[in-house]
Amino acid sequence: MQHKSTYFYAIGLSYKKADAEIRGHFSLSDTAKVRLLEQAKNNGIESLVVISTCNRTELYGFAEHPYQLIHLLCENTKGTVEEFQDVAYIFKGKEAISHMFRVGSGLDSQILGDFEIISQLKTAARRSKKQGLLNSFSERLINAVIQASKRIKNETELSSGATSVSFAAVQYIMTNVKNVTDKNILLFGTGKIGRNTCENLVKHTKNSHITLINRTKTKAEEVAGKFNLIVKDFNNLEDEINTSDIVIVATGAQNPTVFKSLISTQKPLLLLDLSIPKNISEDVTELERVTLVHMDDLAKITDDTLEKRKAFIPKAESIIAEIMAEFNAWIDTLKFVPTIQAIKHKLIDLKTAEINTQRKKLADFNEDQAELISNNIIQKITNHFAHHLKEDKVTSDESIELIKKIFQLEETTQNV
C-alpha cells in the first residue's frame, strides 16, 4: 500500500518467537518511545505508532523501506539488527492492517482474549498524535481496531473468565504451594500487573500475610489500603525477601532488581518474575532452596477458561473481517481522490478562462452570478465522477485512465 512513495508497515517481535530475554532487549520505556518518535519525525517519517508491552514491541508506520523502522527500534533499545532478524516479523500493506486488528482484538495475545493491549494502542496513538505523527490513515485504522475490539468484547465471550498473567501466577502458587494461607507473601511492584496479582492473591488464597513494596511508597499504600495489607519501605526489600516464602516481582525496571546476593534465607523460597525485561537475576537459581518461575512459563498454564475461549475465535474473526472490509473499502476510495481533485482543478481552470473572456465581451456581465452557477455545475459534475468511481470498482482503474485521457490530466503518483 503506497503513500507518497512510502508503504504502511507493521514491524516487531512477540512472545511467539522471542523469549523474555530477547523481548527485554527490545523493550521501550515511555521516555524511549518519545525519543524514538522524535527521531522518526526528524527523519521525515509522517506517521508512526509504537507499542511495547510484556509480550511484544511493535512499530506501525509509513516508510520507504522497513529498515527505517527497524533502525529506529534498534537505536533506542539494547537490541541489535541481527537479534531482530532472528525473531522478527515484517508485514506490509493489507497484511500489516490485518495484523493490527488481530493484535488489538486479543487474538494474538499470549493469553487468548487478553484485552490489555487495546488500551496500550490507544495510549500509543495519543502519544503519536501529540508528536504530530498520526496521519488520517493511522488514526482511522486505530479507531477501526478499537471498534472491532469493543464488538468482540460485547458480542463474544473471548475474554470471559479470569485468565491473565496475574491470575496464572496465583494459580501456579495454589497448585504448587501447600498451606498457602499460612505463607508469607511479598509483592514487589504495584503497577497494573502487581495490582491485579494482589487482587487475585487476596481473593483466592485467603492469605492475610501479604506485604507490598514499591519504589514509590504512596502507590503501594493506595493498593494496600484497598485490601488491608502491610506496606514496607523499599529499603526493607532484602529483609522482607528473607522472611518470605513467596516473592512476586512485578516492577517496570529496565534491569534486574533481585539478585542472589540479597538471599540468605535457609527455607525454601519461590520467586515469580512477572516483569519484562526480567527483574530477577538468573543467578538466584544457583541456590538450591530457590525456585524461579518467569511469566513465560506461567502463560503456558492453560485451563478450562482458555479452552472455552477458543470456541469464540470464529465469531471474533468474522467481526474483524466485517470491520476490516469497511476500512479497506475506504482505502480503495482514496485512490480516486487525486483524479477527482484533478478534474475539479481542470474544470475550475476552464471556468476562470471563460469568465475572463465573458467579462471582456459583456458590458453588464454579472461575475458573482456566473461564479455561483459555474461552481455549482463543477460540483455536480465532480460528484457524478466520484459516484461512478466508487460504485463501479471493477472497471475503476480503466475509468480513471479514460478520465485522465479526456481531460488531459497529469499523471498522479500518490497511491494508497
Side-chain angles (χ1 to χ4, degrees):
M1 179 170 315
Q2 206 176 351
H3 196 93
K4 291 181 188 165
S5 81
T6 60
Y7 295 83
F8 181 64
Y9 288 104
I11 67 124
L13 57 137
S14 75
Y15 67 92
K16 287 184 180 175
K17 277 179 80 178
D19 62 21
E21 193 175 341
I22 299 286
R23 295 203 304 279
H25 291 177
F26 289 96
S27 173
L28 287 157
S29 65
D30 285 349
T31 336
K33 286 173 194 164
V34 172
R35 195 171 59 236
L36 190 154
L37 290 172
E38 281 167 358
Q39 285 177 14
K41 203 170 183 181
N42 295 337
N43 291 332
I45 285 176
E46 65 157 299
S47 185
L48 183 64
V49 174
V50 182
I51 55 170
S52 184
T53 74
C54 303
N55 295 329
R56 66 182 68 248
T57 295
E58 293 187 340
L59 274 62
Y60 296 93
F62 283 94
E64 288 170 38
H65 191 278
Y67 180 72
Q68 290 169 279
L69 304 181
I70 297 165
H71 180 67
L72 279 169
L73 176 61
C74 295
E75 277 280 283
N76 290 284
T77 59
K78 294 175 187 169
T80 64
V81 174
E82 290 71 32
E83 269 181 318
F84 182 82
Q85 283 167 336
D86 283 346
V87 295
Y89 38 82
I90 296 169
F91 298 109
K92 181 179 178 182
K94 290 194 174 167
E95 277 189 352
I97 292 167
S98 173
H99 178 70
M100 192 196 271
F101 270 99
R102 289 188 70 81
V103 168
S105 61
L107 285 178
D108 203 65
S109 297
Q110 188 164 21
I111 291 174
L112 178 68
D114 184 353
F115 276 101
E116 287 288 305
I117 190 75
I118 199 70
S119 62
Q120 281 150 340
L121 255 176
K122 286 178 187 171
T123 308
R126 279 197 298 273
R127 188 183 289 115
S128 296
K129 196 167 187 173
K130 200 174 168 187
Q131 294 280 341
L133 272 171
L134 193 70
N135 63 6
S136 56
F137 175 97
S138 301
E139 190 159 20
R140 192 161 179 148
L141 173 57
I142 283 169
N143 286 335
V145 171
I146 292 167
Q147 190 193 347
S149 159
K150 266 187 199 156
R151 279 193 52 193
I152 290 168
K153 230 178 233 174
N154 296 337
E155 296 171 35
T156 78
E157 288 173 45
L158 190 74
S159 58
S160 63
T163 296
S164 61
V165 169
S166 48
F167 181 70
V170 174
Q171 226 182 356
Y172 180 89
I173 291 168
M174 293 180 71
T175 313
N176 293 282
V177 179
K178 285 180 185 139
N179 309 324
V180 72
T181 313
D182 309 321
K183 301 293 181 192
N184 290 327
I185 302 175
L186 169 66
L187 175 64
F188 175 32
T190 53
K192 200 156 194 176
I193 289 181
R195 286 198 303 275
N196 291 349
T197 308
C198 191
E199 204 165 318
N200 282 317
L201 277 172
V202 174
K203 200 159 68 182
H204 299 288
T205 64
K206 309 281 181 279
N207 185 313
S208 52
H209 321 274
I210 300 172
T211 304
L212 303 184
I213 291 182
N214 196 58
R215 278 179 197 277
T216 316
K217 196 175 180 183
T218 49
K219 286 187 181 170
E221 284 166 345
E222 279 168 32
V223 179
K226 253 173 137 181
F227 304 109
N228 202 17
L229 306 173
I230 306 154
V231 174
K232 289 284 173 84
D233 281 331
F234 178 60
N235 302 339
N236 298 112
L237 182 63
E238 187 170 346
D239 294 342
E240 290 304 319
I241 287 172
N242 290 306
T243 53
S244 298
D245 302 290
I246 301 162
V247 176
I248 299 162
V249 181
T251 70
Q254 290 296 302
N255 295 301
T257 47
V258 175
F259 303 88
K260 175 186 169 185
S261 55
L262 293 179
I263 301 167
S264 54
T265 179
Q266 294 310 305
K267 56 184 180 178
L269 177 63
L270 170 61
L271 295 172
L272 290 123
D273 191 349
L274 310 187
S275 320
I276 294 283
K278 289 179 176 179
N279 274 199
I280 300 179
S281 171
E282 290 288 333
D283 66 3
V284 299
T285 54
E286 292 165 20
L287 301 167
E288 273 178 42
R289 58 196 176 279
V290 170
T291 308
L292 173 62
V293 177
H294 189 263
M295 68 188 299
D296 278 9
D297 311 313
L298 295 172
K300 291 173 191 136
I301 299 173
T302 51
D303 58 3
D304 301 341
T305 309
L306 284 180
E307 283 310 307
K308 285 175 194 156
R309 286 182 180 193
K310 284 178 188 169
F312 300 101
I313 292 176
K315 175 68 177 154
E317 283 176 337
S318 74
I319 290 171
I320 288 175
E322 191 185 317
I323 293 173
M324 202 157 72
E326 287 169 17
F327 182 77
N328 287 333
W330 174 72
I331 291 171
D332 289 339
T333 64
L334 293 184
K335 68 177 177 184
F336 313 142
V337 172
T339 307
I340 298 298
Q341 283 175 340
I343 293 172
K344 199 167 186 176
H345 287 138
K346 187 79 176 182
L347 293 172
I348 288 169
D349 289 345
L350 292 171
K351 173 202 80 169
T352 310
E354 189 58 32
I355 285 179
N356 287 339
T357 307
Q358 297 305 329
R359 193 191 298 117
K360 289 168 194 165
K361 281 185 183 176
L362 304 170
D364 57 348
F365 179 58
N366 186 326
E367 200 165 323
D368 289 345
Q369 282 183 346
E371 275 282 344
L372 183 71
I373 294 164
S374 43
N375 284 346
N376 285 349
I377 291 170
I378 288 171
Q379 194 55 53
K380 283 182 173 142
I381 293 170
T382 313
N383 288 349
H384 273 285
F385 279 115
H387 183 72
H388 166 74
L389 290 173
K390 280 176 190 169
E391 291 305 304
D392 188 9
K393 291 207 178 89
V394 185
T395 60
S396 63
D397 289 345
E398 290 168 28
S399 296
I400 288 172
E401 286 313 308
L402 184 61
I403 291 166
K404 282 181 186 171
K405 222 175 195 173
I406 294 168
F407 285 91
Q408 296 171 321
L409 301 177
E410 288 296 309
E411 277 292 312
T412 56
T413 51
Q414 191 181 350
N415 300 306
V416 173

